């Protein structure tokens, strides 16, 4: 089939919030920006389903106090310069949203609502109004703001590889996932805003698959922070958005003895008002000790807050109404919750402006490495806006000042043939690889109380699947070809997670090793980075540039918890 060819100044892969912010800003510098997304043109990624809660440093708040607290929260492992940029730019982007017509919540005196996060003294988020419609409204505002900009947006295009001319990117290849027609895109610069990748979990995250891993590694970029995942707490039977708001207001996790076990046993200071990773570790220990199931108790949320936290619109309202029809009252019944690995928190290692060491290749949003497994609510919406805006500016300027590189059609054809040759072939279905990948991630000693034994076992199985099952995959039509690329990418994402988790032989921030439950104080703080070497993942420990950071780590959030070592060690067997 003849490839359909597009030419643009700036190609953006992924039309989520980060991609939309970047396009808006890049278009102020160049004549043409093209966003392509594997999903429908206007769906805008996960952001459209989000609560729209946004970390925002308001005028009267002190950036240095916030940074100090963020470094504490991350147990020292924080890209301080990127975090400073994110915090500093949060208010301008917040006001941009308002100028686009978006509404954030205010209290009865007209002040912006601020909800403190994870038991911290300073860092807080501001919610969107009305509850349940934040993401929907943000999406509409962003799309409206692109009207009149030199931005083209195209849906249903799955990008499978980035093309290069020497060390410079020249565009990308992919295919229409409805018709299977090949697509070649020649560009002066390419921005990856595909998100980081995940395991098609609940919580409306089933679109999350390989994200940036395969694209970035093959293009020659470095990955960072892949030992960190988003372990989320969810009701066992349905999705519920809003834990980051409910916990600070008094929501608690309790065991079958009606104990708030976090306060009782593991952190008298913070109780349940902490990061999901810590609550989940507590849940695991409780269940193992026979004190499960764990339920979420909202009885202590003050009555005057109930209106604010009851979904008033969007998918959450629909969910709530359906639950009521089934006789389930989220705020009164004892509803069982469970942990699950949702998404990776790794991303592409970039400079502050989003550029990578591959000339012309940039990354932003959740495809860019920032969090380290612990996560305060609202950071993602904030970072997508700040990094999207900043990187959009940088890539626009870059593309405005360079010529279009040679686009090698033979190279493009070869890269795409790898996928297209599977079309119409019977073989192992993508869903089978997805299921195996989820099974690899699920055991406690792989995703929560990690151990060398658990991680090695999963890695060994992964290698078998990689060598035996991947080559036998087939796709009956273009839709399943898209799913096949996702499934292969999920396997790579899982490999990155397992290898990086093995490499970090300590516990810190969102990474907990049952066989190394303490921080490693003997070596300098390091990132685990992954690059491609002869087709394999090569892992490197890269020291943090602490000399250039304003805060020298001196206190650690993890020290507020005591998970009994003898109980933890039981996970080694
Ligand atoms: C239910 C829910 C509630 C949330 N609530 C909040 C909240 O209140 N506050 C907050 O801060 N965060 C929240 N989040 C998280 C936040 O919404 C996301 O992390 C953020 O929107 C991610 O944006 P992104 O642009 O980086 O990536 P995404 O939204 O994942 O966008 C990536 C896009 O790239 C496309 N893509 C991927 N791979 C390819 C490919 N190979 N080719 C072409 N296209 C590709 C995808 O289809 C997608 O559209 C929530 C998330 C969910 C699911």
């Amino acid at each position: 089939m003849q490839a359909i060819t597009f030419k643009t100044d700036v190609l953006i892969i992924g039309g989520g919030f980060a991609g939309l912010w970047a396009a808006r800003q890049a278009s102020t510098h160049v004549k043409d920006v093209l966003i392509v997304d594997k999903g429908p043109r206007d769906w805008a990624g996960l952001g459209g389903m989000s609560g729209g809660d946004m970390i925002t440093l308001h005028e009267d708040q002190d950036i240095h106090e916030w940074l100090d607290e963020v470094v504490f929260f991350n147990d020292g492992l924080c890209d301080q310069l990127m975090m400073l940029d994110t915090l500093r730019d949060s208010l301008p982007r917040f006001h941009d949203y308002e100028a686009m017509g978006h509404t954030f919540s205010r209290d009865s005196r007209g002040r912006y609502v601020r909800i403190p996060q994870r038991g911290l003294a300073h860092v807080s988020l501001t919610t969107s109004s009305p509850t349940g419609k934040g993401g929907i409204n943000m999406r509409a505002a962003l799309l409206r703001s692109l009207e009149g900009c030199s931005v083209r947006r195209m849906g249903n295009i799955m990008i499978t590889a980035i093309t290069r001319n020497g060390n410079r990117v020249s565009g990308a290849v992919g295919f229409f996932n409805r018709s299977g027609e090949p697509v070649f895109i020649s560009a002066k610069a390419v921005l990856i805003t595909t998100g980081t990748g995940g395991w098609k979990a609940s919580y409306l995250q089933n679109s999350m698959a390989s994200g940036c891993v395969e694209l970035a590694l093959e293009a020659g970029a470095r990955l960072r922070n892949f030992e960190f995942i988003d372990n989320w707490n969810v009701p066992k039977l349905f999705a519920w958005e809003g834990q980051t708001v409910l916990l600070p207001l008094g929501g608690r996790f309790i065991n079958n003895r009606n104990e708030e076990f976090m306060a009782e046993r593991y952190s008298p200071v913070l109780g349940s008002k902490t990061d999901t990773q810590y609550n989940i570790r507590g849940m695991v220990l409780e269940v193992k000790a026979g004190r499960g199931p764990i339920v979420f108790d909202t009885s202590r949320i003050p009555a005057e807050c109930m209106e604010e936290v009851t979904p008033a619109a969007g998918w959450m309202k629909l969910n709530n109404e359906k639950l009521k029809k089934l006789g389930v009252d989220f705020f009164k019944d004892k509803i069982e919750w469970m942990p699950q690995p949702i998404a990776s928190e790794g991303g592409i290692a970039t400079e502050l402006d989003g550029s990578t060491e591959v000339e012309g290749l940039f990354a932003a949003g959740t495809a860019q490495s920032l969090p380290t497994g612990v996560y305060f609510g609202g950071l993602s919406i904030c970072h997508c806006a700040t990094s999207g805006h900043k990187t959009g500016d940088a890539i626009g300027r870059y593309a405005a000042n360079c010529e279009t590189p040679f686009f090698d059609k033979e190279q493009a054809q070869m890269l795409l043939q790898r996928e297209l040759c599977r079309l119409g072939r019977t073989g192992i279905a993508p869903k089978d690889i997805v299921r195996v990948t989820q099974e690899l991630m699920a055991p406690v000693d792989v995703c929560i109380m990690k151990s060398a034994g658990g991680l090695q076992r999963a890695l060994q199985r992964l290698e078998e699947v990689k060598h035996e099952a991947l080559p036998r995959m087939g796709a009956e039509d273009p839709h399943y070809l898209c799913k096949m690329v996702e499934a292969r990418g999920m396997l790579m994402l899982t490999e990155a997670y397992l290898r990086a988790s093995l490499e970090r032989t300590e516990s810190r921030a969102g990474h907990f090793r049952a066989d190394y439950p303490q921080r490693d104080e003997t070596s300098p703080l390091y990132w685990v980075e992954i690059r491609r070497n002869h087709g394999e993942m090569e892992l490197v420990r890269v020291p943090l540039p602490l000399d250039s950071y304003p805060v020298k780590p001196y206190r650690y959030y993890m020290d507020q918890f005591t998970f009994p070592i003898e109980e933890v060690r039981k996970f080694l067997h």
Side-chain angles (χ1 to χ4, degrees), residues 13-20 36-40 43-55 125 157-160 193-196 202-205 207-208 210-212 215 241 244 315 364-367 375-384 485-486:
I13 308 171
F17 280 15
L20 296 175
V36 293
D37 198 293
K38 67 182 178 183
W43 90 290
L46 300 182
M49 296 176 295
S50 75
D53 303 339
M54 180 163 166
I55 286 288
L125 61 75
I157 295 180
M158 178 74 176
I159 296 296
T160 56
T193 46
T194 53
T196 173
S202 78
Y203 199 66
L204 309 187
Q205 311 256 356
S207 64
M208 294 266 276
S210 45
C212 62
L215 290 177
E241 155 68 2
T244 47
W315 68 266
T366 51
Y375 175 81
F376 31 74
L379 178 66
S380 199
I381 291 292
C382 171
H383 180 61
C384 283
V485 177
E486 285 187 349

Side-chain angles (χ1 to χ4, degrees), residues 124-142:
S124 60
L125 61 75
T126 296
T127 51
S128 285
S129 178
T131 307
K133 234 181 155 183
I136 300 170
N137 287 346
M138 277 180 163
R139 172 178 63 195
L142 275 171

